[in-house]
Each structure stands twice: as C-alpha cells, then as structure tokens.
Amino acid sequence: MTIECVAIIGLGLIGGSIGLAVQEMLPDIATTGWDADTEVRRRAAGRGLVGMVCETVAEAVGEADLVILCVPVGAMGHAAEAIAPHLKPGTIVSDVGSSKNSVGAALSAALPDAVIIPAHPVAGTEKSGPEAGFAELFRHRWCIVTPGNDAPQDAVDAVSGFWEGLGAKVEVMDADHHDLVLAVTSHIPHLIAYTIVGTASDLEDVTRGEVIKYSAGGFRDFTRIAASNPTMWRDVFLSNRDAVLEVLGRFTEDLSLLQRAIRNGDGDTLFDLFERTRTIRRSIIEEGQDDARPDFGRKDH
Ligand SMILES: NC(=O)C1=CN([C@@H]2O[C@H](COP(=O)(O)OP(=O)(O)OC[C@H]3O[C@@H](n4cnc5c(N)ncnc54)[C@H](O)[C@@H]3O)[C@@H](O)[C@H]2O)C=CC1
Ligand SMILES: O=C(O)C(=O)Cc1ccc(O)cc1
C-alpha cells in the first residue's frame, strides 16, 4: 500500500511537526492540511507546515491516502464526522491522540466503513499551536500503533512505515495496554506536576514571588510540564479515566507509605526507594529518551 498524499487535520504542535517532517524526510509524499481555526490556518500557511493549507476539510482530505487527525482527544469524534463524507474509498484514517481506547471508539463510530489505524507518537513538548512544530520531533522516539483486531495488515504496515520514515521507532500494542502504560509514564506525571504547581501557588504563607525566586531545579522542571496545553490535558484525563484512576490509586497508596516513613523517621524506607528510582533515570538516559526537545534524546548528544 503506497501513500502518495497525507492530509493533516489540526495544524498545531503535532500536526505541524508531521507536516514539516514529511516535507523534509518523505518529500515524495504530498501534504495537505486543515484546521478548524481560521487564524491557525493562516499561521500554518505562513510557516509552510504542509504543502497546501486548504480552506475546506473536503479539499484537504479528498485526495488523501492517509488522513491523520491531530486534534485534542475530545475533538477526535467531531473531526472524524467532518472528514467522513469526503474520503475516497480505501483511505486510511489515523490519529495521534494521547489516549487510544476512547479515540478508537469515537473514530469507529463516526467512520464505520473506513480503515482505522490509531497511533500515538510518544514525543512532544509543553508547547502548542502552529509555531511550536519542528521536523525532528519524532526522530528516535517511539510511536505506538494500536490497530483493532480486524485491521488489515497492509494498512498497519503502511502507517508503521510512515512513522519510521519520520525517524520514529514503532511498536504495535493493544489500546487497553497502551492506556495503562501511558497512564503511568505520562498522564499521572502530568497530573502530579499540575498538582504541585497548583499547591505551591495556593500556599498562603509563601508568596508567589518567593515561589518563582527560589524555584530550584525540581520545582522548575514541574512548571515546564504544568505549562502544557490545558484543553489537551483536560481531554486526556477525561478520556483515559479508568486507567488514570487505577494508577492514581496505587500512587496515593505509595505516597501514604512515604508520609508514614517520614513521620516515623524511617530513613531506610526513603533511601531504598530513592536508590531504586535512580536506576530508572539511568536506564532512560542510556536509552536516549531523556529529553523531548530538538538535538536531545540521542545517544550521540
Ligand atoms: N502536545 C504533545 O506533546 C502531544 C500531543 N499528542 C496528541 O496530539 C493531539 C494534538 O495535540 P497538539 O498538537 O499538542 O495540540 P495543539 O493545540 O497544538 O493543536 C491542535 C489543533 O487542533 C485544532 N482543532 C481542534 N478541534 C478541531 C477540529 N474539530 N477540527 C479541526 N481542527 C481542530 C486546533 O485549532 C489546534 O490548532 C492531541 O490529541 C494530543 O493528545 C500526542 C503526542 C504529544
Ligand atoms: O513535554 C513532555 O515532557 C511530554 O510528556 C510530551 C508529551 C505529551 C503528551 C504525549 O502524549 C506524549 C508526549
């Protein structure tokens, strides 16, 4: 199955990065794009995020062999309904949503006859919008593909090959497992960051100026994550509710154990945990997965 034309719906950080990456790394594939926001379309055209920014969704997807929905998870169903009447037969529809179960269900409901191959590039930043995209975003990063049981293998291979062409490493997984893994590695860490930054800003005896002035590395790192797109992350937590609540339950139990250890002066419990967690950080650095920004995340950096 050859992909000659890709349509990107949603021209923000991820859609824009895909558009730039295809033009740079897969120049034989034509790119079209559309965004519901007129101003985003104008800025996307200005940056040349895709070969042609279209004024209608029909124009954007009509010739596409692959359509990739790059909108917030809560908007995937609407975007799928908008493209539905305009697809040519055999077009593959994919997405980049950070949660996969609910998105897969929304796409199947809106596009009962389409070939749907959901995917999630596990690469991003705290930034959003058409100015935030860059072509190298996916290089050396994982992209998880979550096809349904009846998905045609040639379409799975086409989507996997597409992501590999953008420099990503591909793993195929079922959507349930994806959602549990990402709850641990991405969704709960974001929730923790949002919480601690909120807690700091609510402390009555510590001024806002002091929080900013004395923000040592730890708090500063949390503020980067807590600056992430509110619409996108609201949708992630609402859509991956079950897995997030499952992992959050475990997390709060573990936090209570640490609370008790501190109260009891139990240094061994604290030390043993901190020693164990340090090895995880070392493994991430050895894997070359330590930063999402350009020029990072490579062993040769
Ligand atoms: N930001 C990140 O680091 C990552 C995000 N993702 C996923 O990628 C998707 C997009 O996220 P970003 O690019 O960061 O967001 P973004 O906010 O930068 O871009 C989303 C774009 O979608 C447009 N949009 C919203 N509803 C629409 C609709 N119904 N039809 C057409 N356009 C519509 C918005 O106008 C906006 O320009 C989300 O589902 C997110 O979960 C996946 C990996 C990383
Ligand atoms: O900026 C960061 O640290 C991220 O975690 C980016 C990110 C956000 C959402 C995803 O689904 C995947 C990656």
Side-chain angles (χ1 to χ4, degrees), residues 12-14 34-36 70-73 96-98 121 123-125 128-129 229 232:
L13 167 69
I14 301 297
W34 182 76
D35 195 288
C70 304
V71 303
V73 166
V96 294
S98 300
T125 74
S128 54
N229 184 340
M232 171 189 153

Side-chain angles (χ1 to χ4, degrees), residues 168-243:
K169 304 177 281 185
V170 171
E171 187 129 312
V172 176
M173 200 181 278
D174 76 62
D176 277 337
H177 192 60
H178 168 280
D179 285 357
L180 185 62
V181 172
L182 269 291
V184 183
T185 60
S186 176
H187 305 170
I188 294 298
H190 275 77
L191 196 69
I192 293 167
Y194 282 124
T195 310
I196 185 62
V197 176
T199 303
S201 78
D202 288 346
L203 273 184
E204 280 160 13
D205 295 339
V206 177
T207 66
R208 198 185 168 86
E210 284 172 315
V211 169
I212 293 165
K213 191 163 151 192
Y214 302 119
S215 64
F219 185 74
R220 233 190 357 247
D221 288 352
F222 279 122
T223 61
R224 183 187 75 78
I225 298 283
S228 300
N229 184 340
T231 303
M232 171 189 153
W233 282 99
R234 175 203 62 197
D235 287 2
V236 169
F237 292 115
L238 296 181
S239 70
N240 197 21
R241 178 175 179 265
D242 293 349

Side-chain angles (χ1 to χ4, degrees), residues 208-283:
R208 198 185 168 86
E210 284 172 315
V211 169
I212 293 165
K213 191 163 151 192
Y214 302 119
S215 64
F219 185 74
R220 233 190 357 247
D221 288 352
F222 279 122
T223 61
R224 183 187 75 78
I225 298 283
S228 300
N229 184 340
T231 303
M232 171 189 153
W233 282 99
R234 175 203 62 197
D235 287 2
V236 169
F237 292 115
L238 296 181
S239 70
N240 197 21
R241 178 175 179 265
D242 293 349
V244 162
L245 291 177
E246 161 73 24
V247 176
L248 195 55
R250 306 267 188 131
F251 176 77
T252 49
E253 279 175 28
D254 291 344
L255 199 58
S256 298
L257 290 178
L258 291 187
Q259 193 175 18
R260 191 187 309 157
I262 292 167
R263 188 183 302 117
N264 295 343
D266 173 4
D268 288 349
T269 295
L270 299 174
F271 186 85
D272 289 350
L273 173 69
F274 300 163
E275 198 173 45
R276 196 153 52 85
T277 56
R278 187 155 67 173
T279 63
I280 303 231
R281 170 71 184 172
R282 287 182 179 149
S283 313

Side-chain angles (χ1 to χ4, degrees), residues 59-76:
E59 203 188 337
V61 304
E63 296 300 315
D65 310 299
L66 170 64
V67 178
I68 309 180
L69 304 181
C70 304
V71 303
V73 166
M76 290 288 180

Side-chain angles (χ1 to χ4, degrees), residues 84 107-116:
L107 298 194
S108 300
L111 301 162
D113 303 321
V115 179
I116 298 167

